[in-house]
Amino acid sequence: MNLTQATDYAFRAVLYLARKGNGEVVEAQEIAGRENIPLRFLLKILRQLGQAGIVKSYRGVGGGFSLAKDPEEITLLDVVEAVEGPVKINRCLIDPQYCTSQRGGRCAIHQELSLIQNDIIARLGTVSFKKILEREQNL
């Protein structure tokens, strides 16, 4: 499993907005500059985060982006799924038809990978951006 650069940028953008606080509207150019993210790429990511209900966008003068929820309600899993889609560590876990061994999910390896995938999903789901902010303050 490999998280893309887009997901890394999404983590950084959400964390930046979380630092600003609830309701604080920030221009994309500010986020891009502070977090060293290419603006065009950031705008695409912010659109995905908006569709997932993680950020809100505001148009016009004074427009920009803010968190749509409290940082404690946004997890790493939320961001990963907004950018990457559902977490799947192997293609046979997406659909048993992808299994080249033709075992259709009745495979010991498939079963172990499924358990590992569930562990990853559960762990990502326990880490909120509030937790990350608290950890950041202790660094």
Side-chain angles (χ1 to χ4, degrees):
M1 183 174 127
N2 185 30
L3 298 177
T4 65
Q5 186 67 56
T7 300
D8 181 58
Y9 288 159
F11 289 151
R12 289 165 33 196
V14 171
L15 183 59
Y16 187 82
L17 290 171
R19 283 187 205 114
K20 289 293 187 176
N22 250 4
E24 180 83 21
V25 178
V26 181
E27 290 184 359
Q29 293 87 342
E30 178 181 333
I31 301 167
R34 298 287 180 149
E35 294 299 321
N36 198 28
I37 303 170
L39 180 60
R40 290 179 63 126
F41 200 12
L42 176 62
L43 291 170
K44 177 183 173 205
I45 293 164
L46 289 169
R47 197 168 24 260
Q48 291 173 308
L49 294 171
Q51 290 170 342
I54 296 170
V55 301
K56 287 191 246 181
S57 64
Y58 301 87
R59 294 180 177 227
V61 177
F65 297 87
S66 71
L67 291 182
K69 309 178 198 178
D70 290 330
E72 67 192 56
E73 298 174 16
I74 303 168
T75 66
L76 291 176
L77 180 62
D78 295 328
V79 174
V80 168
E81 289 181 337
V83 177
E84 305 278 348
V87 174
K88 299 294 180 193
I89 64 170
N90 191 323
R91 68 189 200 134
C92 69
L93 297 174
I94 297 169
D95 184 341
Q97 298 292 335
Y98 289 134
C99 182
T100 57
S101 69
Q102 304 301 314
R103 293 188 183 127
R106 295 178 313 275
C107 166
I109 293 171
H110 174 97
Q111 291 172 357
E112 288 301 321
L113 289 176
S114 182
L115 292 172
I116 292 167
Q117 177 178 289
N118 291 340
D119 289 346
I120 291 169
I121 290 168
R123 180 72 176 120
L124 288 170
T126 66
V127 181
S128 72
F129 277 83
K130 180 181 180 189
K131 234 185 229 187
I132 295 170
L133 284 172
E134 290 168 352
R135 181 178 297 247
E136 189 175 67
Q137 292 171 352
N138 293 323
L139 292 179

